[in-house]
């Protein structure tokens, strides 16, 4: 069964600090992995998308890494801002046939001033 | 590009009434649209997959007669919650898929619709 596990479930950090969110998956065969940011009461917004051959991808202060061998990904946020407070969702898609992705439960990040 | 809109953003209705939510892809054609439901502090739960011109495919446990989905064009899909009850109160999000092949997996999400049933 395809699964995506995220950790931690929630995280509180001070403004300006860095943090790293984790995503482990069992989706196979792997097609791509995406990180989304979802503000409260809003739809998810894509941050990064990585395919099998990509190890790292950055989008401003967000850097995602992917280890396809261990089936792990991380999202690193640098110099956090108050606006980074949101839920971060890891989504993994399989190739060949079903294009319905598997969603993680998300990590709720709160950035305090 | 790749903007998806939803209307309304918020709706409050009485128990027993029906509510229609629209999902539009504004700058691309979406052969497939997805409807999700999200309860507080939980992840998105796929309700159904909607293909233009054909019947929607519902996930297990989702009542197709209660959640009517229509995908009449390549840019519009609607979700109608019939005979709504308080337990249907939730955040409903649609997404639209663009492209083919490996890019077919990319979905663009709408801003969501908050439904409150009194």
């Amino acid at each position: 069964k395809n699964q995506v596990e995220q950790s931690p479930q929630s995280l509180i950090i001070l403004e300006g600090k860095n943090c790293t969110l984790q995503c482990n998956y069992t989706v196979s065969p792997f097609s791509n992995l995406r990180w989304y940011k979802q503000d409260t009461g809003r739809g998810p917004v894509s941050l990064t998308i990585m395919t099998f051959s990509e190890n790292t991808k950055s989008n401003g202060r967000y850097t995602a890494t992917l280890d396809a061998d261990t089936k792990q990904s991380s999202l690193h946020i640098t110099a956090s801002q108050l606006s980074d407070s949101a839920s971060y969702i890891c989504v993994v898609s399989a190739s060949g046939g079903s294009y319905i992705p598997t969603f993680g439960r998300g990590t709720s990040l709160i950035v305090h001033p | 590009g790749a903007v998806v809109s939803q209307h309304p953003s918020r709706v409050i209705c009485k128990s027993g009434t029906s509510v229609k939510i629209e999902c539009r892809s504004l700058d691309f054609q979406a052969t497939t649209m997805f409807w999700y439901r999200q309860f507080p502090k939980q992840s998105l739960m796929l309700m159904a997959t909607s293909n233009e011109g054909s019947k929607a495919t519902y996930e297990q446990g989702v009542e197709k007669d209660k959640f009517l989905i229509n995908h009449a064009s390549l840019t519009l899909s609607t979700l109608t919650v019939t005979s709504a009850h308080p337990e249907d109160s939730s955040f409903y999000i649609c997404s639209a898929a663009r492209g083919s092949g490996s890019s077919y997996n990319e979905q663009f999400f709408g801003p969501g619709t908050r439904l409150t049933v009194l």
Side-chain angles (χ1 to χ4, degrees):
Chain A
K1 180 180 179 181
N2 291 335
Q3 287 187 315
V4 175
E5 300 289 339
Q6 290 188 243
S7 63
Q9 183 176 352
S10 61
L11 182 63
I12 301 174
I13 62 174
L14 292 176
E15 185 179 12
K17 298 296 185 181
N18 305 334
C19 67
T20 300
L21 314 180
Q22 300 292 341
C23 173
N24 297 338
Y25 62 91
T26 60
V27 177
S28 181
F30 176 83
S31 174
N32 62 72
L33 183 148
R34 287 162 286 160
W35 283 94
Y36 286 91
K37 177 186 178 187
Q38 184 179 21
D39 292 312
T40 301
R42 305 297 298 272
V45 175
S46 180
L47 294 176
T48 62
I49 177 171
M50 291 183 292
T51 58
F52 185 87
S53 60
E54 297 175 296
N55 300 119
T56 184
K57 183 164 283 188
S58 292
N59 178 0
R61 294 180 296 103
Y62 301 103
T63 299
T65 64
L66 173 65
D67 186 332
D69 292 330
T70 61
K71 297 185 178 181
Q72 295 179 328
S73 175
S74 66
L75 179 69
H76 186 74
I77 304 175
T78 304
S80 61
Q81 300 176 358
L82 298 179
S83 58
D84 292 332
S85 296
S87 179
Y88 292 83
I89 305 172
C90 176
V91 182
V92 185
S93 295
S95 62
S98 172
Y99 44 78
I100 299 175
T102 303
F103 285 75
R105 296 176 66 85
T107 292
S108 175
L109 174 66
I110 299 175
V111 180
H112 278 314
Chain B
V3 178
V4 177
S5 70
Q6 277 185 245
H7 179 79
S9 58
R10 294 176 180 270
V11 57
I12 301 174
C13 68
K14 293 181 179 180
S15 184
T17 61
S18 295
V19 175
K20 179 184 285 188
I21 303 171
E22 292 186 349
C23 176
R24 294 180 184 272
S25 56
L26 299 184
D27 51 2
F28 67 99
Q29 293 185 330
T31 54
T32 305
M33 288 184 171
F34 304 86
W35 286 96
Y36 297 85
R37 182 166 50 183
Q38 185 177 35
F39 293 105
K41 298 186 178 182
Q42 294 189 22
S43 189
L44 283 71
M45 295 172 50
L46 180 65
M47 299 175 66
T49 303
S50 168
N51 291 293
E52 185 266 338
S54 63
K55 291 182 179 181
T57 302
Y58 290 81
E59 294 300 299
Q60 189 174 7
V62 178
E63 301 175 55
K64 62 179 181 180
D65 294 331
K66 180 170 183 62
F67 298 99
L68 301 179
I69 292 174
N70 182 279
H71 193 163
S73 75
L74 289 173
T75 59
L76 173 64
S77 177
T78 60
L79 168 68
T80 301
V81 183
T82 62
S83 186
H85 290 284
E87 57 265 32
D88 297 325
S89 298
S90 186
F91 192 52
Y92 292 86
I93 304 174
C94 75
S95 72
R98 178 182 70 173
S100 60
S102 60
S103 65
Y104 199 50
N105 289 326
E106 184 162 16
Q107 297 182 33
F108 300 92
F109 289 88
T113 296
R114 172 72 61 191
L115 170 63
T116 302
V117 184
L118 302 176

